[in-house]
Amino acid sequence: MRFLPGTHRALGLAAALAVAAAAGPAVAQPAARAPRPAEDSGRAEAEAGAAPLRGSLGVPVAERLLASSDPEARLRGIERLGAIGTEEAVTALLAALDQGGPAARDPRARLAAVRALAPHAQRDSVRQLLARELSEGGGPARGAASPLGEVLRGTAALALARTGERRALGALVNAIVQGGAAGEAAALAIKAYPPESLQLLLGSRKRLEPALVSFLGELGDLRAIAALRPMLEGGDRAAQVAAARALARLGDEAALAKARAWLSKPEPGLFEATVEILVHLGAPEAPDAVAALLGSELGRLEGLRLAELAPAERLVPALARALPLLPEDARPRAVAAIGRAGGAEAARQLRRLTLERPELATAAAFALATMPGAEARAAVAELVDGPRAAKDADLRRLGLRAGVVRGLALRDAPGSLEGRLLAALAAPKGSSDRAVGVFGAVALGLRDAREVVGGCAPASCDRAAVHAAARGALARGDRALAALAPLFAELAAPGGGAAPGGDDAAPDPAAISAGVALLAEPRGGAVATSRLAALAEAGGPLSPLAARALAARDDEVVRGRLKRLLEGSDPVVRAHVALGLGSDPLPDSVSLLARAYRFEDDPAVRRAIVRGLSRRTEVQRRRVLLAARDLDPDEGVRALARAALSGAGAPALDPPRAALATGVVWIAIVPNDQGAAAGASSRPARLVRPDGLAVPVVADPDGVLLVPAVPPGVSSVLLAPAAPPGDAGS
């Protein structure tokens, strides 16, 4: 059989490459490194016309990339070494980080290295590097502080905790004892990966430090009780107090006798800890002890915290007495604590606050609205149609809003509320009274949002009614929101919905409110793609939802804009782009999400990225989801990734389908001075729900925002910039 010249050499090289690829890195690398005579090596190079296989692939290439001045090339080198995973590759990666070169000074490179080294955390040298990253993170010890510092610390801590190995856990415990950011990261990591044996945490310590004792109480592992009980006797008082607090958190009543003894013979600096122990164990003496703490000048704030932790009717008088003595920013918390305590006295105190303390009236009305019981309902009814409400329009609106919130949250609205709301609908257009009536009627299902709003053109539109109806529609679910889509499409169009005298590109305030339709139509409905792009890039309250819709319409034309938005400075917009990419018709969008996850420092954005990936089917998503599940410092991200990998998928962010939503946010925009009062009227804002979804809203003319359908948790509100004096178009 004859071969054409050179054919056998090409086939031979192809066969060598195929064998190396089939064998995998662990087999192919040693084979490529096998020594051979120099004569044979030179002949092979000459015949193949290229460098040896070892010089073309593997560790040497990664080392050359690590030596590059290009940060992206260095990242590729780190990821290549991590993918190879051999002892030689790990050693090369450690050397690059220990030599103080560019990679060691780059937080992104160090984060990539920590992720790559995590599977090898049981090696002494890797464990030492991870412990160093835990203690230093992105802090000044390695250069200027980096936004990735928290992610870097948390990832290193999780990599150590995952091993379950004694020396790795010892490094985490040392960080907890030292405290600070490293201690917090270490504590979260151990909670994420609890050890098989607590002895791995305690080691050979003859004395447990107070910080470690407190952590054992927070860990919630009942096996710690045996180590903590002996500390109640003997030793110094600080150790006894720490052990008693930890045991109380674990629900062990061994600390109760000690707390009662301290209560009977008070010692300086010990009373707050004693009261906390009684509260955690639900002791009968706890309410009276908290009341005493509320009455003391130095312990008043701690007493408020404990009153929030364990509400009791017996605490209402003490909270009411402490209210004027608390710092101004803590007083709304005390009002809420009175409401959670409940009972007739709480209702009486809250009613008094609504009538006599204007600065606390909103907080008191909200507490009444969400407090179960006939007494609270009667107090709200008095605000709605009592003798003072008939003479005071502000008080009457306060009562109507409280009645609507009570109807939404408890389905226990006063009987006269419906008639009062419908009567308010007849108030003059643009008035706060009519806005309250519109919101309540729509939210409680008495009127349809489109029916109330009617036609709305730039020249003739009751914008206050649109704002109220749109927020009310949030309580009725996706069908009510979708009904606003035609209005939003009309008002959002450039020229068709610009505010009188304003910039043609700026959305009308009514369009901002009607933009809640994008919650039910995540692809943007009938709004033009070019308009969605303009709104997404404008930075206003509509930007996040517009960015989500734009990403769901991804194509070659908008891809560049999506990349810029995904790298922008607004984390809420970045998160919504990620959510939209989950529904992107183009399969390569999964690569955008994977790349965005790598060095994202905001946990809310990483949650959105994982939500987006959970809706994709491409195989590329798996590596990112595995890294997020195992090494992301945020528990929310890890939980979403676990759900996605299990096939359950991330919880939906769609509007609720229940007839009535229960979560309501009540915000009163208060100007800093009387000259700025106009800036609170009909102020646009962006409310970000606890699940990360942004809701565009506009306040009533009197500066009040009621936003229903908000899940439990912490929400944030960002007000749009106030209009400059004389700028009617802003």
Side-chain angles (χ1 to χ4, degrees), residues 567-592:
E567 298 170 356
S569 59
D570 188 341
V572 179
V573 172
R574 295 201 304 270
H576 282 70
V577 173
L579 293 173
L581 289 174
S583 304
D584 187 344
L586 299 182
D588 65 340
S589 63
V590 69
S591 298
L592 286 180

Side-chain angles (χ1 to χ4, degrees), residues 150 225 228 315 331 356 460 479 489 552 566 578 599 689 721:
E150 183 178 350
I225 292 176
L228 294 173
L315 287 174
R331 291 172 190 172
E356 300 175 6
S460 60
R479 292 184 61 183
L566 200 54
F599 306 117
R689 304 186 329 185

Side-chain angles (χ1 to χ4, degrees), residues 20-36:
V27 177
Q29 290 296 329
R33 293 196 303 272
R36 55 183 178 179

Side-chain angles (χ1 to χ4, degrees), residues 474 477-479 481 516 518-521 548 652-658 689 693 709:
L474 290 167
D478 50 1
R479 292 184 61 183
L481 294 173
V516 296
L518 292 175
L519 294 169
E521 295 194 350
R548 182 177 73 157
L653 290 179
D654 299 327
R657 288 174 169 77
R689 304 186 329 185
L693 203 59

Side-chain angles (χ1 to χ4, degrees), residues 394-675:
D394 291 339
L395 185 62
R396 183 173 62 252
R397 286 195 299 272
L398 184 72
L400 288 173
R401 287 174 172 131
V404 174
V405 172
R406 190 171 185 86
L408 291 171
L410 302 178
R411 304 191 182 187
D412 186 29
S416 60
L417 179 66
E418 180 176 338
R420 295 293 183 184
L421 289 173
L422 296 179
L425 287 175
K429 290 185 176 181
S431 66
S432 295
D433 286 343
R434 186 165 192 267
V436 172
V438 168
F439 172 79
V442 174
L444 296 177
L446 307 176
R447 291 289 187 272
D448 179 78
R450 288 287 293 174
E451 172 192 348
V452 174
V453 172
C456 184
S460 60
C461 181
D462 184 357
R463 289 179 173 79
V466 175
H467 305 330
R471 285 185 279 107
L474 290 167
R476 308 307 302 175
D478 50 1
R479 292 184 61 183
L481 294 173
L484 294 170
L487 176 64
F488 173 64
E490 179 182 354
L491 293 172
D503 180 2
D504 189 62
D508 186 287
I512 293 176
S513 286
V516 296
L518 292 175
L519 294 169
E521 295 194 350
R523 292 182 176 272
V527 181
T529 299
S530 59
R531 186 57 175 158
L532 287 173
L535 292 172
E537 294 170 344
L542 280 173
S543 291
L545 292 183
R548 182 177 73 157
L550 185 68
R553 297 183 183 183
D554 182 22
D555 58 23
E556 294 180 359
V557 176
V558 303
R559 174 58 68 89
R561 303 177 93 159
L562 289 177
K563 287 182 177 179
R564 289 192 294 273
L565 289 170
L566 200 54
E567 298 170 356
S569 59
D570 188 341
V572 179
V573 172
R574 295 201 304 270
H576 282 70
V577 173
L579 293 173
L581 289 174
S583 304
D584 187 344
L586 299 182
D588 65 340
S589 63
V590 69
S591 298
L592 286 180
L593 289 169
R595 185 174 182 83
Y597 177 83
R598 294 164 72 206
F599 306 117
E600 175 57 60
D601 58 272
D602 192 296
V605 181
R606 298 201 303 275
R607 289 181 214 127
I609 292 171
V610 171
R611 284 184 186 273
L613 288 171
S614 71
R615 304 187 66 176
R616 308 299 308 187
T617 58
E618 296 84 359
V619 69
Q620 295 97 313
R621 76 178 194 140
R622 183 168 177 81
R623 186 176 69 170
V624 181
L625 290 176
L626 287 171
R629 181 196 67 183
D630 296 339
L631 294 173
D632 196 285
D634 182 73
E635 170 55 27
V637 175
R638 297 198 301 273
L640 290 169
R642 283 195 298 269
L645 289 167
S646 70
L653 290 179
D654 299 327
R657 288 174 169 77
L660 293 175
T662 57
V664 186
V665 172
W666 188 336
I667 302 165
I669 303 173
V670 180
N672 294 326
D673 57 68
Q674 291 301 318

